[in-house]
Amino acid sequence: GVALPELSATGDVLERFGLEYGKYIITVGRLVPEKRHHDLIEAFRGGALPGWKLAIVGASDHPDAYARQVLDAASATPGVVCTGFLTGQALQEIYSHAGMFALPSSHEGLPIAMLEALSYGLPVVASDISANREVGLSAEHYFPVGDVSALEARLAEFAAEATQPEVRAAHRKWVSERYEWEGIARRTLAVYQNQAVKYRIARSVL
């Protein structure tokens, strides 16, 4: 689940990383191969979105070859910024002012970072793996995993609506209706109650 956050009004983090309100894509997560950061960097470079930047938020638990490759690719690509690990107010701020969220992963559990992005009202572009599809967004939010050209096209499409207040409000409403904690608790309780009824029926038959 996810709770709707307060949107940050501060801009210190944006200033630190040279970002502009509504004009950057973020991806949030550890620097591990299954997140497919290289796909996103390549798609961003190919898309050449005027005035946009890409902020890669996260770090690796232990420095390794993949993390170094991501950092090297980012430094070689104009407009790409690596923020390292962010939390608290800094993370809230960078979510609040982003224009779009991207998740090109090849593997996920339930993607909490995607739910967080939606709770801030961000347009989301994600790979079409089952875990991401399970969130329930409409088809235009997804692209075939590993298809950099398709990802590039999705980024361009969503950049056009990134700063529209009504779009952001709709995303916040959508995720609140489906993933607010009270509703999740009620649905979980219903599963247990249903199983308890089935158990009592089975016991009575025996």
Side-chain angles (χ1 to χ4, degrees), residues 121-184:
L122 298 184
V124 166
V125 175
S127 57
D128 63 351
I129 59 175
S130 58
N132 289 345
R133 283 193 171 277
E134 192 173 337
V135 171
L137 296 172
S138 52
E140 66 270 16
H141 290 271
Y142 299 102
F143 68 94
V145 62
D147 189 335
V148 173
S149 295
L151 173 54
E152 181 182 321
R154 284 285 187 263
L155 296 180
E157 291 165 9
F158 278 85
E161 67 174 39
T163 58
Q164 296 176 22
E166 62 273 19
V167 172
R168 290 179 174 245
H171 290 155
R172 282 167 64 86
K173 182 174 185 291
W174 186 92
V175 77
S176 178
E177 289 173 347
R178 288 162 178 79
Y179 289 96
E180 54 87 22
W181 281 110
E182 183 175 348
I184 287 172

Side-chain angles (χ1 to χ4, degrees), residues 79-154:
V80 180
V81 174
C82 292
T83 69
F85 182 72
L86 297 179
T87 188
Q89 175 62 32
L91 183 60
Q92 180 184 22
E93 183 181 315
I94 207 163
Y95 265 128
S96 294
H97 302 317
M100 193 189 324
F101 175 85
L103 189 66
S105 305
S106 58
H107 298 85
E108 287 285 344
L110 180 68
I112 298 299
M114 185 194 298
L115 297 184
E116 290 179 340
L118 289 165
S119 76
Y120 282 93
L122 298 184
V124 166
V125 175
S127 57
D128 63 351
I129 59 175
S130 58
N132 289 345
R133 283 193 171 277
E134 192 173 337
V135 171
L137 296 172
S138 52
E140 66 270 16
H141 290 271
Y142 299 102
F143 68 94
V145 62
D147 189 335
V148 173
S149 295
L151 173 54
E152 181 182 321
R154 284 285 187 263

